[in-house]
Amino acid sequence: MTPTLRRKLEALAERREELERLLADPGVIADAERFRKSSREFAQLEPVVLALSAEAQAKADLASAEAMRTDPELRELAEEEIAAAQERLQRLDAELLAHLIPKDPRDEGDVYLEVRAGTGGDEAAIFAGDLFRMYARYAERQGWKVEVESASAGEHGGYKEVIARVEGRGAYSRLKFESGTHRVQRVPATESQGRIHTSAATVAIIAVEPEGEPIEINPADLRIDTFRSSGAGGQHVNKTDSAIRITHAPSGIVVESQTERSQHANRDKAMKRLKAMLAEAQEAKAAAAQAATRKLQVGSGDRSQRIRTYNFPQGRITDHRVEGLTLYDLPNVIEGGLDALTDRLMQEHQADELARLTDD
């Protein structure tokens, strides 16, 4: 580890000590918001301090074992303890470096999941439906809640477009690498000749409540239309213009909500999603500027990027962003078994961030 990175770790340890003093300050305790933020930061820094303590102990153990080498009777035991201490130090070095990777404040939050049919006609809509079901089942395995906010069904099944809110701790951290174009190769149910077709669907993952500077929207930039809801909710929603469509003129973003019975509730939902989409656009712009200086293999969030191919005849799923990331476990993945993919993508992203740190 370079001296610069070591100093960064020491600064984090010092910040943790400062927070410990602040959390005992009556003035901070009386300020609920400040106390909450300080407590959360303190908890985030605790693993750094524990890892530094473990490293100090491992170094002490190594020094003690090396001192034993001079005793012929203890030399063999010393060599074993030296090897163990060195292995522990190597593992702790990687752990400490990982703690230096900037935390994405959105990682623990909820997401909007958007799936849209791409090229491929009816089969693309059916595939979009398969993808949405895959994410819904994955969410169920994680203990997350999925609430559909709008949907447009395909003529032969699936969806032309489906937008849902996924609520659960860590939803963004696990799903954020899913944005992009997903391609499927299979014999469609509508194909009578048994020929393999290639179709596509796009996925977008958008953080629900990103932290940082609040998104300010000028009411004059909005066009708000009402229309009769066609979604679930019984006869009431079909008899009133309760659905809301909001168009943000400067960006061209259009959002709709029609799942609630009241116009007010639908407007509130639509505004929340509009703010999330505008925040995501800002993040994408910043990421593009960063990517101009270094190649990002994972996590760019570019929806036009082809990220994955699902080959049903061979039971194969390939992620094109990571060399060698091919699984012959497609039936399990399409039923919501995404962990093997998400774990690898998170590891690759971490490795990329670590490389950037060591290059700085």
Side-chain angles (χ1 to χ4, degrees):
M1 187 183 301
T2 66
T4 301
L5 294 178
R6 175 63 59 180
R7 285 193 293 272
K8 289 181 180 180
L9 283 169
E10 291 170 353
L12 290 177
E14 291 171 3
R15 173 60 177 165
R16 189 259 189 189
E17 291 180 2
E18 180 186 0
L19 286 166
E20 189 171 24
R21 291 191 296 271
L22 286 173
L23 290 170
D25 186 325
V28 175
I29 295 172
D31 186 336
E33 180 64 16
R34 188 180 178 191
F35 184 80
R36 183 186 67 83
K37 288 184 177 179
S38 297
S39 297
R40 185 169 61 181
E41 186 181 356
F42 180 85
Q44 290 173 343
L45 292 176
E46 186 72 8
V48 179
V49 174
L50 292 175
L52 285 170
S53 178
E55 183 191 48
Q57 183 60 55
K59 287 180 177 178
D61 292 343
L62 177 60
S64 177
E66 287 176 338
M68 290 166 54
R69 269 179 168 168
T70 57
D71 189 332
E73 295 182 2
L74 298 176
R75 185 173 298 155
E76 185 175 345
L77 177 61
E79 294 297 339
E80 291 178 2
E81 293 192 3
I82 287 171
Q86 288 175 338
E87 182 182 348
R88 204 155 71 246
L89 282 169
Q90 187 174 7
R91 188 171 63 250
L92 285 165
D93 190 69
E95 183 181 334
L96 285 165
L97 282 173
H99 286 308
L100 287 174
I101 296 174
K103 299 292 188 295
D104 189 333
R106 301 171 295 174
D107 274 352
E108 293 301 305
D110 307 334
V111 303
Y112 289 111
L113 164 66
E114 303 181 353
V115 184
R116 295 179 174 85
T119 56
D122 292 334
E123 167 62 5
I126 293 170
F127 178 50
D130 291 341
L131 286 177
F132 178 72
R133 185 182 64 178
M134 176 182 77
Y135 292 123
R137 292 189 174 181
Y138 180 64
E140 183 180 352
R141 295 186 183 194
Q142 301 294 321
W144 302 334
K145 176 185 174 183
V146 178
E147 179 185 359
V148 175
E149 296 215 340
S150 68
S152 175
E155 292 182 10
H156 293 86
Y159 296 101
K160 295 177 183 176
E161 175 186 277
V162 56
I163 299 170
R165 177 168 173 152
V166 182
E167 299 178 352
R169 185 173 181 180
Y172 186 77
S173 68
R174 303 293 299 180
L175 293 175
K176 64 183 176 182
F177 303 119
E178 294 301 304
S179 291
T181 299
H182 297 240
R183 186 177 68 167
V184 63
Q185 296 172 329
R186 65 183 176 188
V187 179
T190 55
E191 168 60 55
S192 59
Q193 302 298 319
R195 293 172 296 188
I196 295 174
H197 287 223
T198 298
S199 304
T202 61
V203 174
I205 301 295
I206 302 168
V208 169
E209 295 171 348
E211 293 193 359
E213 291 296 319
I215 299 295
E216 298 294 337
I217 297 178
N218 185 347
D221 292 335
L222 301 179
R223 188 178 79 238
I224 301 176
D225 301 308
T226 60
F227 59 98
R228 189 158 297 176
S229 175
S230 60
Q235 295 181 352
H236 174 78
V237 295
N238 293 320
K239 290 183 178 179
T240 62
D241 290 338
S242 59
I244 291 287
R245 179 185 297 112
I246 300 177
T247 304
H248 183 249
S251 65
I253 293 174
V254 179
V255 294
E256 294 181 0
S257 180
Q258 56 177 304
T259 56
E260 301 298 322
R261 288 178 177 271
S262 78
Q263 190 179 109
H264 177 78
N266 279 322
R267 178 180 173 132
D268 183 57
K269 274 192 169 183
M271 283 298 295
K272 285 181 178 178
R273 192 151 63 85
L274 174 60
K275 287 183 177 181
M277 293 180 73
L278 289 171
E280 191 236 6
Q282 288 184 1
E283 288 286 338
K285 186 176 180 180
Q290 188 180 50
T293 60
R294 63 187 179 96
K295 183 180 180 181
L296 291 175
Q297 292 185 334
V298 177
S300 67
D302 184 355
R303 299 181 203 179
S304 65
Q305 179 188 15
R306 188 190 73 179
I307 65 168
R308 195 174 295 153
T309 296
Y310 304 73
N311 185 299
F312 276 77
Q314 298 179 21
R316 184 184 75 229
I317 182 167
T318 300
D319 197 291
H320 304 291
R321 295 165 293 179
V322 179
E323 186 176 355
L325 182 46
T326 295
L327 304 176
Y328 287 87
D329 192 26
L330 194 152
N332 178 50
V333 171
I334 210 71
E335 289 298 321
L338 279 168
D339 279 335
L341 284 169
T342 55
D343 287 348
R344 180 68 184 278
L345 290 166
M346 291 172 75
Q347 290 168 7
E348 290 291 328
H349 178 66
Q350 185 179 76
D352 185 50
E353 290 296 306
L354 284 173
R356 183 179 64 83
L357 274 175
T358 54
D359 288 342
D360 287 348

